[in-house]
Amino acid sequence: MRKLLLVIVLLLGVMLSATTIEVLWMGWPQDQVMQLVNAFKEETGIDVDIQLVPFGQLFQTIEVRLAAGDGTPDVYIVDGPNTASYAARGYLLPLDEHFSDEEMSAWFDASIEEGSYRGTFYSVPYGTSSAGIFYNKAIFEEYDVPFLPETIEERLTWEEVAEIAKRLTKDTNGDGLTDIWGLVIEQIDRPYLIFPMVQSLGAKVLSDDGLVSQGYITSDDFIEGTNFYSKLFNEWKVSPQGLSDSAISREYFGTGRAAMMLGNEWNIRRMLQYPDLDYGLSPFPYFEGGVAVTPTGSWHVGINSKTKKIEEALAFTKYITGKEAVITWHKLNGIAPARSDVYEALPEVFDNPMWQLFVKEMETSAVPRPRTPGYSQYELMLREAFNSIHYGADPRSTLEEVAVRIDRELRKYR
């Protein structure tokens, strides 16, 4: 009998040590990701089958896998604004009972908001983001334009930015073509960077329940902000049309083909590829008479509501979003942490004035994208509208038309 018990204990030990969870993850470099995965396995004994999916295929892959309903993947990467969509369809495990108040206090309020739906916490913040105006100091000096202010207290208005962009849009060789653009927008048609413009004017971008766009994206304030956006490309011609690839926008700025770039915090790291570039950072502008609003939000981590390995999935989620792992991930990949304690732990990185500016924005002016179960469709149709507007389509009629389409799509969630 004692031998039988010993065999059972040994078998249980083998089974537990062989526990494997399946994780669907963003296609970041494998050598970076596996450092964290291997450390987790060493600490817990839990193995991880991690599947790295390229960004362009990620969301479709998640949809197909979750719709299968077989409980896999156990854990998956969540783009923050998609939390509501996955939660509304029952794809995410509610997490309130699994995280203490102390654990929750580590994350920025805006990140918690983005990871929640209808008062319930569903996805754990992994990274966050912010944006501002990067400017090329050499171009400003060459054309005798004062450097931009670099403190929140001196934040420029969009009206001031437009005037500066006009002064710095140049045909340097007289061939009738623009050689230096006043302003490029890193994500030219994405609501992430365009929403803060209209929100500065007081516009709401969606109803409180996340199910109605008419009367919101068709409001006078929303259209006023979108008119300004259109003028950058079509009337004032200070921004180039057609830069749909954000990497090309960064290249324009990094190689001196643009004096300013409205872009994300990751450029602090990415601009290192241009060692001769001397640049500064100015806060995200606002409209005169309006309020300061900045974008935020990034990757979260969710647990499949049908997983058969809740404890193991929780262990991985808490590990990968914990302080030490997020410190390691920032050092490897440069993603902006959603945990405030990581900024305190890495003063050699985050005492940089540019990072300090972004942290202040994350704490004070950051507004996440709207929570709606139809976010993917909502964003896709708005991107089509913004793309048309930046090519010269009339903002009001374009937004009125797309609002009808969006609301038709959102009805399925009522």
Side-chain angles (χ1 to χ4, degrees):
M1 186 66 178
R2 293 180 62 186
K3 288 184 178 180
L4 178 60
L5 287 172
L6 181 59
V7 169
I8 292 172
V9 169
L10 290 172
L11 286 172
L12 284 172
V14 170
M15 289 172 65
L16 288 172
S17 66
T19 298
T20 300
I21 59 170
E22 188 175 330
V23 176
L24 193 60
W25 211 241
M26 168 64 183
W28 287 306
Q30 185 174 27
D31 61 330
Q32 296 177 4
V33 175
M34 291 310 298
Q35 288 191 47
L36 290 174
V37 171
N38 291 335
F40 170 73
K41 181 180 179 180
E42 184 176 342
E43 182 174 306
T44 64
I46 301 169
D47 205 352
V48 179
D49 174 13
I50 194 159
Q51 299 159 20
L52 305 178
V53 182
F55 180 78
Q57 304 165 27
L58 179 62
F59 302 114
Q60 182 179 3
T61 302
I62 290 173
E63 290 287 345
V64 170
R65 293 294 308 280
L66 294 179
D70 63 359
T72 63
D74 300 286
V75 179
Y76 57 100
I77 197 85
V78 175
D79 192 14
N82 282 329
T83 298
S85 176
Y86 300 149
R89 290 179 285 164
Y91 291 159
L92 283 170
L93 181 74
L95 298 174
D96 291 291
E97 66 179 275
H98 300 293
F99 285 82
S100 67
D101 290 343
E102 182 179 358
E103 288 174 310
M104 298 285 283
S105 68
W107 295 296
F108 291 113
D109 289 344
S111 296
I112 295 293
E113 181 181 345
E114 187 165 57
S116 302
Y117 180 60
R118 294 187 174 176
T120 298
F121 183 48
Y122 282 103
S123 69
V124 186
Y126 189 42
T128 189
S129 63
S130 191
I133 297 280
F134 293 85
Y135 69 97
N136 185 315
K137 292 184 176 182
I139 294 175
F140 274 68
E141 286 182 329
E142 181 178 356
Y143 294 101
D144 198 28
V145 176
F147 289 165
L148 302 186
E150 299 186 0
T151 65
I152 287 175
E153 294 75 19
E154 300 176 289
R155 188 189 307 271
L156 292 175
T157 65
W158 274 114
E159 292 87 352
E160 290 172 319
V161 170
E163 291 305 313
I164 294 168
K166 292 173 189 177
R167 293 179 62 184
L168 292 175
T169 298
K170 302 291 182 180
D171 171 9
T172 58
N173 57 12
D175 64 355
L177 301 175
T178 300
D179 299 298
I180 300 174
W181 294 93
L183 175 71
V184 293
I185 299 176
E186 186 176 16
Q187 297 176 319
I188 198 169
D189 60 357
R190 289 189 178 269
Y192 176 86
L193 283 180
I194 300 170
F195 277 168
M197 290 185 182
V198 301
Q199 289 167 323
S200 173
L201 291 164
K204 288 183 64 174
V205 299
L206 204 57
S207 62
D208 290 337
D209 63 6
L211 299 177
V212 179
S213 70
Q214 292 185 73
Y216 297 94
I217 68 170
T218 57
S219 71
D220 289 341
D221 290 334
F222 196 105
I223 290 169
E224 180 182 347
T226 313
N227 271 322
F228 176 90
Y229 164 80
S230 175
K231 288 178 181 179
L232 292 172
F233 304 96
N234 299 291
E235 181 177 330
W236 303 322
K237 300 186 186 300
V238 298
S239 298
Q241 295 173 327
L243 296 192
S244 56
D245 186 338
S246 57
I248 297 176
S249 297
R250 290 193 295 271
E251 181 183 334
Y252 267 53
F253 180 72
T255 58
R257 294 188 63 191
M260 296 182 288
M261 178 179 69
L262 181 67
N264 291 70
E265 88 296 327
W266 54 55
N267 289 297
I268 295 176
R269 185 176 183 127
R270 292 181 180 180
M271 285 303 147
L272 293 175
Q273 66 181 301
Y274 302 104
D276 296 329
L277 177 66
D278 184 14
Y279 70 94
L281 173 67
S282 190
F284 201 106
Y286 71 109
F287 281 106
E288 184 176 351
V291 297
V293 176
T294 58
T296 196
S298 187
W299 298 109
H300 287 224
V301 182
I303 297 176
N304 191 331
S305 61
K306 293 182 173 60
T307 179
K308 300 175 180 64
K309 302 173 183 178
I310 290 180
E311 294 306 317
E312 293 87 351
L314 275 168
F316 178 81
T317 299
K318 291 197 174 192
Y319 177 85
I320 206 76
T321 62
K323 179 180 177 180
E324 295 307 317
V326 173
I327 287 173
T328 300
W329 184 240
H330 176 78
K331 290 179 178 178
L332 288 169
N333 191 268
I335 193 170
R339 300 181 62 100
S340 58
D341 52 6
V342 173
Y343 294 89
E344 298 164 4
L346 294 175
E348 68 276 16
V349 175
F350 297 116
D351 279 354
N352 177 319
M354 293 186 190
W355 269 115
Q356 287 295 303
L357 188 153
F358 282 134
V359 171
K360 288 180 182 177
E361 298 281 44
M362 293 173 195
E363 293 173 338
T364 59
S365 61
V367 175
R369 283 157 286 182
R371 285 170 287 182
T372 171
Y375 185 81
S376 294
Q377 301 95 322
Y378 169 76
E379 182 186 56
L380 177 61
M381 285 186 272
L382 267 179
R383 285 187 64 186
E384 293 172 357
F386 290 146
N387 196 44
S388 296
I389 289 167
H390 111 273
Y391 273 120
D394 174 65
R396 183 176 293 277
S397 60
T398 302
L399 291 168
E400 287 175 348
E401 185 275 333
V402 79
V404 173
R405 293 170 51 214
I406 289 172
D407 287 357
R408 186 183 303 126
E409 187 66 33
L410 295 181
R411 285 194 196 103
K412 69 175 66 172
Y413 300 103
R414 293 180 183 174

